[in-house]
Amino acid sequence: MKRIFFAATLLLVFSMLAACSSNDVDTGAKDPEDTGTYTVTLNTTGGEDRAALQVLAGDTLEGLIENPTKEGFTFLGWSTSGEEIVYYDMSTPVTAAFTLYAVWSGGEDDGVEMYRLTVHLQGGAFRYVPVQTLYIDFKAGSLLKELPRMNTKPDHSTLEFAGWNTSPDGRGEIIVQDSELTGDLEIYAIYGELITTIDDLKAMTCNNSGVVYVIGYSDELADNLEDEEWVPLCSASQPFKGAIYRNFEESSETDLGTIALTISATSDHAGLFSYTDGAIFNELTISGTITGADYAGFFAGEMKDSRVENITYLLEYSTINGAQYGGTITGKGDNVTLLNIAVRANTSSGSFTGKFIGGVAGWLEDSGITDVSVHYVSPSGSENGSCVGGIAGYLKDSVMDVAAVLGSGTFLTFVSSDFEDSYVGVIAGFLENCEIKHIFTLDLFNSATANRDNSYAGSVAGGMQGGSIAGARVASPVYAYGDNSAAGGVVGKNTGASISDTIVRSTVYAQGSGNHAGGVVGVSESGTVSGNLVLSDSITGETAGAIIGSGGESGNVFVAGISVNNVFPAGGTAASAIRYNKDFFTDTLGWDFASIWEMKDYYDYPTFISDEAPDFIPITTAEELAAIGDSVDDLSKFYVLMNDLDLSTYNDGVWIPIGDELSTYDARFKGTFNGNGKTIRNLKIIGKEEDDSQYYALFKAFGYTVSLSPIGHFGAIKDLILEDVDIQSYSGSNAGLVADTTSYGLDTIERVHVTGNISGGKAGGITGYGYGKIIECSFVGNVSGSSNVGGLVGDTGNNLYVSKSFSAGTVTAETTNYSGPNCGGLIGGASRTATIKSCYSTSTVTATAARGIINAGGLVGYTTANVLSSYATGDLSITTPDNACVGGIIGYLGTYAQASNNVALMSSITTAIVGTADVGRIVGDVFSSSSRPERNATSTGNYALATLALGGGVDADEGTDVASEDIDEAFFRSLGWDMDYLWIFDTDSQRPVFRWQ
């Protein structure tokens, strides 16, 4: 029998059984010729004929019927119904005439394959079905949407129903809903003793593998244990060997069995149990505070030969402090199975510290980790030699398959150590002889940081000895500070391991004497590093490489435009040659498309076979485009534009933003829209002045969603052209291709190009208010607004990344109230955690205020972000009766920000400023504080045309003069710009343009 991941729509079937059991067959009259017999008719449903039977009243059919045959089919049994499969129990006494119908597995001619489910009630009962064993057939691939709940307790028993299992003792495979039926399956009802009080907990039996407990919802368990010291149960000589399930009848997530513990250093092994050996935990929540124990885990201090499955829980403000071995499940484990676990912990007021410390376990060996994800857990090392990981601190001789570490918003997953000789990884601190595959990490909200000498950090692991990584998608930033340290996009230090089949987007940074930084591995002492793809933005270290900082490599590829120590190395491959190209991954990288990867239609890069990556929905008409906003569910799907669209004839030529008619916060597009290189023309939106604080755009708002599975789905709008856009709105509105994006910055807009006219409050050619990534985008036209206005982006919060993008035309900001605008050729305002890199603007910038401070720049008006390797050519004209900060590149450069390697190429900056005028050829004003110098902004290495004169004010950064005749390709190469892959020098305009234009 095949391995089963069970599924079928059982609730309907079991309700059918309640009305039509195997004993409740169709009734009929007695045979008229023999009042002591009944006729049983055999309908073989297309198989070999079988004659009807005459059966004495009270007899059974056992041994009386020869199974029929049917070519190409397998006989499965007899049903009492020809419409539904209700198997007849041959041991049932015959009391009426009836018909039996043959049930067959599908043959090749109809393609239907059937699998049999056998249900053993083990003393329980379904209503109206007085049997202990049921047989039901389902089509292969059916999904179980609801496991049967209507069974009762066994007769004369106080046991509670715990769930379904493939073994009668409850120690086989635990069966849960929403799995797929791929073969015959037998399941058994499992029962256990109900636990609802502290005394019930304390009475649990140690050293007995035959006991099953069921945790019911209880305020006493969830709250009261926080107020008293818990003494861990059982011991090394008398470990817990039983099974603990959640009460199956509790249907609401809020009713999950929850146990809250408070444990101080009363024992070296701290948790609900000190030790487990052969224990089983299913659908259970345990949290709390553990302090000072050497082995600390909420389930057990130490585990052996145990299983933890189907755990999804929030450890709000939970703490494990000072453990030698510590994790949310267990401190240390040997032969532990972790399956289908999602740990979520808000650690802003809690902490996880230890020497071997992980979001799930401190140390695991000979173990299996499958479908495990960690959210918002931030473990940190507590002494020299720490091994710290988002999932496991130290993993030895184990298999990890489908695992992820995620974070979002204010809930972060930062993995770190402030001690020497440490190994820090977003997934694991150190891997020894492990098999790792299908691994996922997320950028922005999780990272690995090793802060001291002789330490190593990586997105997957800080260090790795032996074993393999085959299949990873990682994007977490990696940092190593200290002498003789290393940072790698996948692994910090590799000794003898094989690393392949990875997509790496991680920013990698190492600082200190003798450090190494690599896109895949920081330092590789031995082993094989091959078949990896690096898409990272930057790699920095004393010894740095696009693939490996120090050591050998073979058969790896990096995308052109990666900055390695601010230099763009030769040998990169254009991204356009890789996207949508399965042959590249199979032929060039040799990736495994049999067991790891698949290339789905219209996906840029391969996805894991284990991903639930959605198929695309084609968009062919304006009506279909508008229908994306019909429901919140539709906003989360994957769409592909199949042909050009003209919106001038749809809805009288006036567009309603997608999602605008849904009155809910979730009315934001959080799926994927692939424009497929097609064009949408004549997008027109006319706002009303009374409709203040509205959103005017193709999409009302653009967001993201992160599933609790390791897959992670993020919003994307890409490969789209919008021509002749006309958006007219008012002061309180956001306007652009996308009016607003979420604060989490996980969405991506790439290769989107817009032409037209846009006006609003916060207005930009791509987004009025934006987070996330904007890559290889452009706007050509006119943007105007009354608040924050930019050629590409009006305003941003945290987590904006703009790269390889430009704007051209005019940018105009005008206010009639007391609030002055932020206005820039590319971006009006950008916050601290934003980055603007390798961009340009040729837009003319005009800003006028009735009152209030104006911040205006040829590229960015106001920013606390980094602005790097970019230029602006458009002239500036600023008028205000108040104060203003005006710069050829940036108006005001705020706290922590950096501006470097930028060039101001405009001919004039004109100002009419009555108040204080801070005007610079590069930056108008730069934040500086003598009391907090660490917050100071810096503006260095920038250039401006020698002929650029200022229209008054103080020059905060005039930049270095460059004569117009010296503006050539060699000049930009001297600044470290990528003139081989990203830029090309246009001799007609005497400036760089993008190669993708």
Side-chain angles (χ1 to χ4, degrees), residues 901 903 943 962-980 983-987 990-992 995:
N901 291 338
V903 184
Y943 289 79
V962 56
S964 58
E965 59 268 24
D966 292 332
I967 301 295
D968 56 14
E969 180 177 323
F971 167 71
F972 289 98
R973 284 186 181 275
S974 72
L975 298 182
W977 288 29
D978 181 3
M979 302 303 295
D980 294 315
W983 301 96
I984 187 171
F985 191 79
D986 181 17
T987 55
Q990 286 297 294
R991 58 184 175 81
R995 291 179 178 267

Side-chain angles (χ1 to χ4, degrees), residues 878-912:
I878 312 302
T879 302
T880 178
D882 214 319
N883 306 328
C885 297
V886 184
I889 299 296
I890 301 165
Y892 181 80
L893 191 65
T895 55
Y896 299 101
Q898 175 188 357
S900 63
N901 291 338
N902 302 295
V903 184
L905 296 175
M906 65 279 299
S907 60
S908 67
I909 299 175
T910 303
T911 61

Side-chain angles (χ1 to χ4, degrees), residues 535-551:
L535 305 174
S536 303
D537 180 62
S538 65
I539 299 162
T540 304
E542 184 175 296
T543 303
I547 307 296
I548 294 179
S550 175

Side-chain angles (χ1 to χ4, degrees), residues 70-74 104-114:
K70 182 178 179 181
E71 186 175 354
F73 289 76
T74 300
W104 305 93
S105 67
E108 293 182 359
D109 55 344
D110 65 6
V112 177
E113 187 175 10
M114 303 293 290

Side-chain angles (χ1 to χ4, degrees), residues 16-81:
M16 174 192 78
L17 286 174
C20 187
S21 77
S22 58
N23 285 339
D24 296 331
V25 298
D26 294 337
T27 61
K30 289 186 179 182
D31 191 295
E33 297 182 0
D34 188 347
T35 57
T37 65
Y38 294 95
T39 299
V40 179
T41 304
L42 302 177
N43 185 335
T44 61
T45 60
E48 181 185 17
D49 289 341
R50 289 289 180 266
L53 300 175
Q54 301 299 320
V55 184
L56 290 173
D59 282 358
T60 71
L61 298 183
E62 288 182 309
L64 296 182
I65 305 176
E66 181 183 355
N67 292 341
T69 60
K70 182 178 179 181
E71 186 175 354
F73 289 76
T74 300
F75 177 73
L76 297 176
W78 295 99
S79 171
T80 60
S81 170

Side-chain angles (χ1 to χ4, degrees), residues 104 173 233 235 299 418 452:
W104 305 93
E173 182 181 345
L233 302 174
S235 64
F299 285 67
D418 289 332
R452 294 293 183 267

